[in-house]
Amino acid sequence: MSKLVIVESPSKAKSIQKYLGKDYNVVSSKGHIRDLPAAKLSVDVKNDFAPKYAVIKGKEKLVKELKELAETAEAVILAADPDREGEAISWHLATLLDLDMNDNNRVKFNEINKNSVVKGIEHPEKIDLDLVNAQQARRILDRLVGYTLSPFISQKIRRGLSAGRVQSVAVRLVVDRENEIRAFNPEEYWTLDAKMLAPSSKKAFKAQIAGDETGKVKITNKEQSDMYLARLDGAEYTATSVKKGVRRRQPAPPFTTSTMQQEASRKLNFQARKTMKVAQELYEGVEVKGFGSVGLITYMRTDSLRISEEARAAANAFITSTYGEKYLPEKPRYFKTRANAQDGHEAIRPTNIAITPVIAKKSLTNDQYKLYNLIWCRYVASLMAPCVQDTVKIEIKAEKEGAAGFLMFSASGYSIKFDGFTALYEDAVDDGDESAIPEVKTGDVLKLKELKGNQHFTQPPAHFTEASLIKTLEETGVGRPST
C-alpha cells in the first residue's frame, strides 16, 4: 500500500511524484472539486448564509476514482496550493473522502523542489478551518453580490452585463477617472528652455528658467514668453552656484503578486491573467536540462516581501562570485511588508539561484523565459548594493549690463559613480529632464547656444492601464492581488 497525495494540478503532481518516489501515489484533483451550483443562489440566506455545495459538473468520475484510491491507500495527504483556495480544496476533499478533520493530513509546499517537498511531507498539519472559512466568506459574498445585482443590471441597463464584489468597484474607479478626465480644463503655460556650453566642454547641457529678481516666474502665454526672450537678448549667463552631491538609488524589493503583474504589464506587455498563468507553470514545475522537473519560482500568490535566510545566503554567494563583493550592500537589506498583507509565503523568487535565465532559456517557452528572467533579475537585484550617482545642481544668472533686474536659470543632472544593482536590473524610474552635465565652476561664464519659449498645457489624469488599475485596487484595499 502507498500513501495517496492529492494536489491541484497534473503538472505539479508529476514534479512531486519524482521527489517522493514509489511509496507515494501523487494524483491531481484538477482544481476545485466542489462549488456552489451555478443554476441558483446556493446560499441559504435565512440560515446563517449556509452554502449548499455540490460536486462540479463533469467531475463525478474523478471523485469516484479518488474515493477508490483513498479506500486502498495507507494514508491520504492533502497537498493543494498553500493559500485560502488550496485550504478550501483540501477541506472539500476531506469532506468527500470522509477524512477526519482532526488528523494531520494537510501539507504545504511554498516551492516545488526536493527539499521543500520532503520537508512538507515530514511536517503535516491539520486543515486550517479559519482559512477555509475566509475562502467560504469570499465565495458567498461573490455569489450574493453577483446573483443579486447581475439580473437587475442586465434588466435595467443592458442584457448580459454582470456585477461583482471586485469587478463593480473596479468599474466605479474607471468611471470616476473618466469623469475626472472629461471635467478637466487644461491650462496653458510656457517654459524658457536653454542649451548652454561650459568653458571646458563642447557638449551643450539643458537649463530652464527658474525665476527673476522677484522670485519664481509663471509664464502663462506667448506674450509673456516673448517679453522674457526680449529681456534676455544679449544677456550674459554666469554660474552663481554649483552644488554637488551623492545620491544612492536603492533597488526595488522582490515581487509580490501585485508588483509582478504591474511590472510584467509595463515591461512585457502581459495581461494580468497571462502573467498568473505563466507564473503558475513556473511554480508547478518545468523540465530543465541538467536539473530535471523542477518548480522554478516560489508560490506566486503572496503579499509578502520576506525571503528565507537560506535563499538570501545563496543569492549573496551568487552576487559575490559573479559581480564581486562590492556589489553586496554594507548591511543586509530587509524589506518591510505592508501592514495588512498576508505574510504566509515568501516574496516571489527563484527556488534555485543557480538556474539562471540563460541556463533555463532552452527549456522554457518564450513567455516562461520572459517572466522567469524578470523574476530572477528583480530578486537578485533586490539584494545588491545601491546605485551611486554624482549629482550636480547649477544656478545661472542671466543679466544685461546696465539693465535693471535679472533672470535665473537652473540645470540639474547626474552621472553614475557606481552602477550597483543597475548592472543587472533597471526598474521603471523617471529621472525627468536630468542629463549629464559637464564640469562647471562657480563664476564660469556660459555660452548660450539656443534659447526657445515652449508652449505646454496641463494634462488630465491618465486613463488606467491594467498595471495602474491593479496598483490602485491594491492601494485602496479592494480584492486580493490575484483577483
Side-chain angles (χ1 to χ4, degrees), residues 306-325:
R306 178 174 51 80
I307 57 173
S308 73
E309 290 304 313
E310 182 186 357
R312 179 187 295 275
N316 286 347
F318 178 88
I319 293 164
T320 304
S321 64
T322 307
Y323 297 96
E325 276 194 31

Side-chain angles (χ1 to χ4, degrees), residues 339-392:
N340 62 340
Q342 292 183 9
D343 196 34
H345 311 295
E346 292 183 52
I348 302 168
R349 62 167 175 82
T351 57
N352 185 348
I353 206 74
I355 306 178
T356 64
V358 172
I359 290 171
K361 187 172 185 178
K362 290 180 182 176
S363 306
L364 303 178
T365 66
N366 193 38
D367 287 343
Q368 287 172 343
Y369 167 73
K370 285 179 179 177
L371 188 60
Y372 182 63
N373 183 60
L374 197 67
I375 292 167
W376 192 96
C377 291
R378 170 87 165 218
Y379 168 67
V380 176
S382 75
L383 299 177
M384 292 174 73
C387 171
V388 183
Q389 300 170 344
D390 284 326
T391 62
V392 60

Side-chain angles (χ1 to χ4, degrees), residues 143-356:
R143 186 54 63 96
L144 291 173
V145 173
Y147 275 53
T148 306
L149 289 180
S150 293
F152 175 78
I153 288 172
S154 186
Q155 182 184 13
K156 296 292 184 182
I157 300 176
R158 197 180 77 213
R159 189 172 179 82
L161 286 181
S162 63
R165 176 180 53 91
V166 174
Q167 166 196 332
S168 298
V169 184
V171 171
R172 171 63 185 266
L173 289 169
V174 172
V175 170
D176 285 349
R177 175 63 60 88
E178 183 64 28
N179 287 337
E180 278 185 74
I181 292 167
R182 291 182 183 185
F184 184 81
N185 290 314
E187 290 183 13
E188 181 183 6
Y189 70 98
W190 287 68
T191 56
L192 297 187
D193 301 306
K195 286 183 180 177
M196 298 185 182
L197 289 169
S200 60
S201 174
K202 293 181 180 178
K203 188 175 181 182
F205 65 92
K206 295 175 184 176
Q208 194 172 78
I209 193 166
D212 61 13
E213 65 278 358
T214 65
K216 283 193 174 181
V217 164
K218 187 178 182 182
I219 307 173
T220 57
N221 54 54
K222 188 176 188 303
E223 288 71 24
Q224 276 183 292
S225 174
D226 289 344
M227 179 194 74
Y228 279 113
L229 288 171
R231 276 185 64 181
L232 288 163
D233 187 26
E236 183 176 82
Y237 296 82
T238 308
T240 58
S241 168
V242 179
K243 291 180 182 175
K244 293 185 176 181
V246 176
R247 179 169 64 195
R248 283 175 168 77
R249 259 188 65 201
Q250 300 294 339
F255 283 133
T256 61
T257 307
S258 171
T259 54
M260 176 180 70
Q261 290 173 335
Q262 291 169 49
E263 197 76 342
S265 174
R266 280 193 294 262
K267 288 193 169 182
L268 308 178
N269 204 26
F270 281 11
Q271 290 191 330
R273 185 189 297 270
K274 179 176 181 177
T275 299
M276 294 309 290
K277 176 182 175 291
V278 176
Q280 182 92 33
E281 292 164 2
L282 294 173
Y283 165 70
E284 288 181 350
V286 179
E287 283 285 340
V288 178
K289 192 176 180 182
F291 293 88
S293 181
V294 58
L296 287 175
I297 63 169
T298 53
Y299 193 54
M300 64 286 155
R301 291 189 177 91
T302 179
D303 290 349
S304 178
L305 296 177
R306 178 174 51 80
I307 57 173
S308 73
E309 290 304 313
E310 182 186 357
R312 179 187 295 275
N316 286 347
F318 178 88
I319 293 164
T320 304
S321 64
T322 307
Y323 297 96
E325 276 194 31
K326 66 179 181 178
Y327 280 85
L328 284 177
E330 291 176 8
K331 291 181 180 178
R333 187 181 292 107
Y334 291 87
F335 295 98
K336 190 175 180 183
T337 300
R338 60 190 178 86
N340 62 340
Q342 292 183 9
D343 196 34
H345 311 295
E346 292 183 52
I348 302 168
R349 62 167 175 82
T351 57
N352 185 348
I353 206 74
I355 306 178
T356 64

